[in-house]
Amino acid sequence: LCGQGHRAIGVALDVGKPETHAAAFASVAAGLGGLPQVLVNNAGIIVSKPFLEQTEEEVASVFATNLFGAFLVAQRAARAMVEAGRGSIINVASTAGLRPGGTLASYGASKAGLLHLTRVMALELAGKGVRVNALCPGNIETDMHQVFVDRGYADSLVKRIPQRRFGRADDLSGAMLLLASDAGRYMTGSIIAVDGGQLVSSL
């Protein structure tokens, strides 16, 4: 999109701290000459522990970033998009929000909540020119995913993926571009998994 005359800038923002949101959006508006037409809600943290061992503080932190923070950032962006009469919001969830995974109780629950929020937002904003969709990455090679590799889970994880490899960050580009651009103009409330086939793998 940037190669087609669009602009993108980066600003510092902690979605888990609502007091930082206004300044971040002001920086975006100043840098772009207006508020963005596309929002990618991509912030996320994970706690990987058995359900019985996750502390109240850990669970609260995961939900503050993955769901509550995403809710508030999307709400702020959506208000501006509704005023403009157009926009696209992409909530980055996870395949962990679509089916359970051991040690991922708080993470999976927060991402499942984000998927439901996506559907509700899509329903409410469709008539206002704003599309809302979700992207569900599977095992993508990121710093967050490296935790499981370091624990020795790489081989067992790869065996559950029909393509027999972990995804790379650029494997998400096609789906992201589809949802962000007019190529996906008739899509809202959609949930796209980019997971090498993991969700359809046999038991």
Side-chain angles (χ1 to χ4, degrees), residues 93-117:
S94 169
T95 53
L98 292 169
R99 73 178 186 187
T103 76
L104 297 177
S106 58
Y107 180 77
S110 69
K111 292 300 187 178
L114 184 59
L115 291 175
H116 190 75
L117 174 63

Side-chain angles (χ1 to χ4, degrees), residues 23-194:
F25 272 81
S27 295
V28 170
L32 296 180
L35 287 172
Q37 296 178 355
V38 177
L39 169 71
V40 179
N41 245 334
N42 190 41
I45 61 174
I46 192 169
V47 171
S48 177
K49 288 183 179 180
F51 167 70
L52 294 177
E53 296 177 13
Q54 295 196 16
T55 68
E56 182 177 340
E57 292 75 17
E58 288 171 336
V59 174
S61 180
V62 169
F63 271 81
T65 297
N66 297 2
L67 184 55
F68 184 55
F71 184 112
L72 294 180
V73 170
Q75 186 181 61
R76 185 180 290 270
R79 285 173 176 154
M81 291 175 181
V82 166
E83 186 174 342
R86 70 186 304 265
S88 173
I89 296 174
I90 304 166
N91 290 323
V92 180
S94 169
T95 53
L98 292 169
R99 73 178 186 187
T103 76
L104 297 177
S106 58
Y107 180 77
S110 69
K111 292 300 187 178
L114 184 59
L115 291 175
H116 190 75
L117 174 63
T118 297
R119 296 185 182 100
V120 174
M121 290 173 60
L123 177 64
E124 292 191 13
L125 300 176
K128 303 178 187 299
V130 180
R131 299 184 298 108
V132 187
N133 296 288
L135 192 63
C136 289
N139 286 283
I140 307 296
E141 293 174 336
T142 63
D143 291 342
M144 184 184 295
H145 181 258
Q146 188 63 36
V147 172
F148 299 99
V149 175
D150 291 343
R151 292 179 181 177
Y153 298 154
D155 290 343
S156 62
L157 288 173
V158 167
K159 289 178 182 177
R160 301 174 190 174
I161 303 172
Q163 288 193 355
R164 293 296 187 266
R165 70 172 179 88
F166 296 135
R168 301 180 299 270
D170 61 0
D171 287 323
L172 302 174
S173 300
M176 191 72 74
L177 181 59
L178 171 65
L179 297 179
S181 71
D182 285 340
R185 60 185 174 272
Y186 200 54
M187 298 176 67
T188 195
S190 298
I191 294 171
I192 299 179
V194 183

Side-chain angles (χ1 to χ4, degrees), residues 99-100 159-162 164 197-203:
R99 73 178 186 187
K159 289 178 182 177
R160 301 174 190 174
I161 303 172
R164 293 296 187 266
Q198 186 172 1
L199 286 177
V200 297
S201 63
S202 59
L203 296 176

